[in-house]
Structures are given as C-alpha cells and as structure tokens.
Amino acid sequence: MFSSLCDSIVLAHENNYTKGRTWKGVTYKPCKFTPHMMAGILSGEQCARNIFGNPLRGASANYCIGNAGDLVGCVDENDRPWTSSSRANDYQAITVEVSNCEYGGQWRISDAAWNTLVKLAVDVCRRYSFRLEYNGTPNGSLTTHNMFANTDCPGPYLLSKMNELAIVVNALLDGETPPTPQPTPQPTTYTFEQFVRDVQSATGADVDGKPGPDTLKHTITVSTNTNRNHKVVTALERYLKVLGYYNGAIEEDQGKIPIFGGGMRTAVMNYQRSKGLKIVDGEITARANTWKKLLRLL
Ligand SMILES: [Zn+2]
C-alpha cells in the first residue's frame, strides 16, 4: 500500500527491492522514517522511473519527492526497499528520496519538497503509530543514510534539519501548531560584496566593496604553502563555499585558525578549471588571473 498523499505511483523494478518485510522469521512493521537526498534535481517520477526503474540499479525507496514537492510511490510499504545500506534499518523503515534544489554546496532542498516530506512523515507516523525521535544514532526512529555508510547522504542541509523535522512532525501528530523553526545559518548570505570587503580590509586596500585596480594591486598569494593571512583564507573559504566549490569547514566559525589545506586546494583547482583558466594549480597568486576572476575583473 501507498500513502493517499501520492500524486502518482511508478513502481521500482522488482530487481531493486525485497518482497515483504519478513527477515529471519520476524515480520517487521514500519517504525522508522529515513529521508535521503537524490544528489540531483529531479521530479519524483524521474527518480522513480529512470533510477529505480532501471533493473540494474540495485537501489530503491518507498517514495520519491521531486523538487516541486510532487510525491511518487515507488516501493509498496509492505515491501523492503534498498535505500540505506542497512538491511536492519530498511526492514523497519519507510524510506524517501528527496530531490535537491542545488548541486553541491549544502545540497539544499526546496521548501515545496520539505513541506511534502513533513506531510508524508506525519501520514506514515499516524498510520503506523510511532513518533519521530532523532538522536543522531540508528536507535532513533528518524534515521539517516550516513549512520550506516560512508556517504554524503542526506547532505549537510537535510542533516541540519533532522531535529526540526522530528519537532514539527511530532507537534502535528499532537494536533499542535509546530513551533517556528530556528533559522539555520545560510551560507548564501555571504555576498560577493561582503567577500570583496573582507579581502580589501584584510589586504590593506581601500574598503568599498567594489573591486578595482587598487583591490587587485593589494592581493596576496594564497596557497597551501602561503596562508599566513587568516582573514583572506576565511573570506575565500566562505566565498568558494557559497559558489559550491568548497565543502570543508569554516574554521573561524569553530574558533580555530583557518587553514588553506587540501580541501581548499581542490576547491581552487575546480574553480580554475570551471572558469577555463589556463593554470589549474590550486593556488591564488597575487595579481594573477585567479584573483582577477574571483574579483570579477577578468
Ligand atoms: Zn541515501
């Protein structure tokens, strides 16, 4: 059976899931909920048809939620999907693949997809009589893929929202108005202008948020060997993160000294490559093309 909230049903290929929820003589009733990210921007039908409909895929989920919030049933709730790299989890879980609304970075999901995820979770919990408990371990009833495998799934954004998902869903189950969620820090609030200001102020250039010859003249070389200017490193980390090239930590936010390490080197190389720069070396040389590109002077 499927949730009555479904917009459509597109069954997974039978190679990609296990019939029934009986394992070693025990029949499991769903008592867990496991959201995943698609690592792509898809509709529910695209995910169900093109990915889980592929007989060679070896993966599936009970539901797919598209970027527009569309809900597609894919593996019957009475069957065990292959989603979470954990047989034990998937025998007990209703699993959901959720489309992202950005590639890389925080791997965020749209508000429409989030709203459908909340509604589906409430519906599942109501029908199987359980609540969402998230404690970051597989013992809770709200679980995530990265608890069972070395994977980026469900992505930084969805992972940061798990606690909120439990709070909102449980409040709705109790017939209460969900509390206003704590705003999660959004890296996109770091604008180009702020980046330019931070670089200007860290290098002694005139600070006006508008890059020009004076800004370029003051730029310094930043690389794994030359990372003494912590403020410049932090500005670059923040900006490359917003652009989706850098996935590492912002050390300054953790009270640590920023390091231009391997993660930043890779981020810079990917940036140089994608901007078509001739030299792809992971270094940002004073007054050279990578700085010009970053400052939009090239
Ligand atoms: Zn996953």
Side-chain angles (χ1 to χ4, degrees), residues 3-8 33 35-36 38 42-45 63-73 94-99 109-125 127 132 158 161 165 168-169 172:
S3 167
S4 61
L5 300 167
C6 282
D7 295 298
S8 64
F33 190 78
H36 294 250
M38 290 181 191
L42 301 169
S43 71
E45 290 212 3
Y63 293 97
C64 300
I65 297 177
N67 189 33
D70 45 310
L71 178 64
V72 177
I94 297 296
T95 66
V96 192
E97 284 286 350
V98 186
S99 171
I109 69 166
S110 68
D111 289 347
W114 170 258
N115 291 337
T116 300
L117 183 66
V118 169
K119 278 188 204 150
L120 177 64
V122 170
D123 176 53
V124 166
C125 288
R127 286 186 291 112
L132 291 190
L158 211 42
K161 301 270 279 184
L165 184 64
V168 169
V169 167
L172 289 167

Side-chain angles (χ1 to χ4, degrees), residues 2 9-18 34-40 42-66 71-76 80-85 90 94-99 145 153:
F2 288 102
I9 308 291
V10 178
L11 291 179
H13 193 278
E14 59 184 20
N15 286 4
N16 293 339
Y17 63 92
T18 304
T34 316
H36 294 250
M37 70 159 180
M38 290 181 191
L42 301 169
S43 71
E45 290 212 3
Q46 280 173 328
C47 181
R49 206 178 298 282
N50 302 343
I51 298 177
F52 302 146
N54 176 348
L56 301 175
R57 187 70 190 197
S60 62
N62 292 111
Y63 293 97
C64 300
I65 297 177
L71 178 64
V72 177
C74 194
V75 171
D76 192 297
R80 177 206 135 201
W82 298 352
T83 328
S84 315
S85 310
D90 288 351
I94 297 296
T95 66
V96 192
E97 284 286 350
V98 186
S99 171
H145 198 166
C153 182

Side-chain angles (χ1 to χ4, degrees), residues 34-268:
T34 316
H36 294 250
M37 70 159 180
M38 290 181 191
I41 305 173
L42 301 169
S43 71
E45 290 212 3
Q46 280 173 328
C47 181
R49 206 178 298 282
N50 302 343
I51 298 177
F52 302 146
N54 176 348
L56 301 175
R57 187 70 190 197
S60 62
N62 292 111
Y63 293 97
C64 300
I65 297 177
N67 189 33
D70 45 310
L71 178 64
V72 177
C74 194
V75 171
D76 192 297
E77 290 180 359
N78 294 318
D79 295 329
R80 177 206 135 201
W82 298 352
T83 328
S84 315
S85 310
S86 163
R87 201 178 288 182
N89 184 77
D90 288 351
Y91 266 115
Q92 303 175 76
I94 297 296
T95 66
V96 192
E97 284 286 350
V98 186
S99 171
N100 301 94
C101 65
E102 68 176 348
Y103 282 97
Q106 298 289 300
W107 286 109
R108 280 183 294 155
I109 69 166
S110 68
D111 289 347
W114 170 258
N115 291 337
T116 300
L117 183 66
V118 169
K119 278 188 204 150
L120 177 64
V122 170
D123 176 53
V124 166
C125 288
R126 209 166 257 157
R127 286 186 291 112
Y128 293 103
S129 306
F130 69 96
R131 297 167 72 79
L132 291 190
E133 187 205 351
Y134 179 71
N135 58 22
T137 79
N139 300 327
S141 61
L142 179 58
T143 53
T144 52
H145 198 166
N146 63 338
M147 292 174 182
F148 308 105
N150 183 8
T151 171
D152 289 337
C153 182
Y157 179 77
L158 211 42
L159 195 60
S160 77
K161 301 270 279 184
M162 284 300 114
N163 204 31
E164 181 187 334
L165 184 64
I167 291 168
V168 169
V169 167
N170 291 338
L172 289 167
L173 288 170
D174 294 337
E176 292 167 3
T177 311
T180 313
Q182 300 287 323
T184 31
Q186 297 298 337
T188 42
T189 53
Y190 193 68
T191 61
F192 174 68
E193 192 191 326
Q194 189 59 52
F195 167 66
V196 174
R197 278 180 185 280
D198 286 350
V199 169
Q200 288 171 330
S201 104
T203 56
D206 293 338
V207 180
D208 60 0
K210 295 185 187 77
D214 177 70
T215 315
L216 185 66
K217 194 180 88 192
H218 283 81
T219 54
I220 56 164
T221 296
V222 189
S223 72
T224 46
N225 298 320
T226 317
N227 59 359
R228 297 265 166 74
N229 193 320
H230 299 156
K231 290 207 164 108
V232 174
V233 174
T234 297
L236 286 163
E237 283 179 350
R238 288 192 200 284
Y239 191 54
L240 289 173
K241 191 159 204 141
V242 167
L243 295 181
Y245 292 95
Y246 178 63
N247 293 319
I250 308 287
E251 292 92 345
E252 190 183 85
D253 294 345
Q254 305 172 335
K256 296 182 196 157
I257 291 170
I259 299 162
F260 190 103
M264 273 297 282
R265 186 165 176 274
T266 305
V268 171

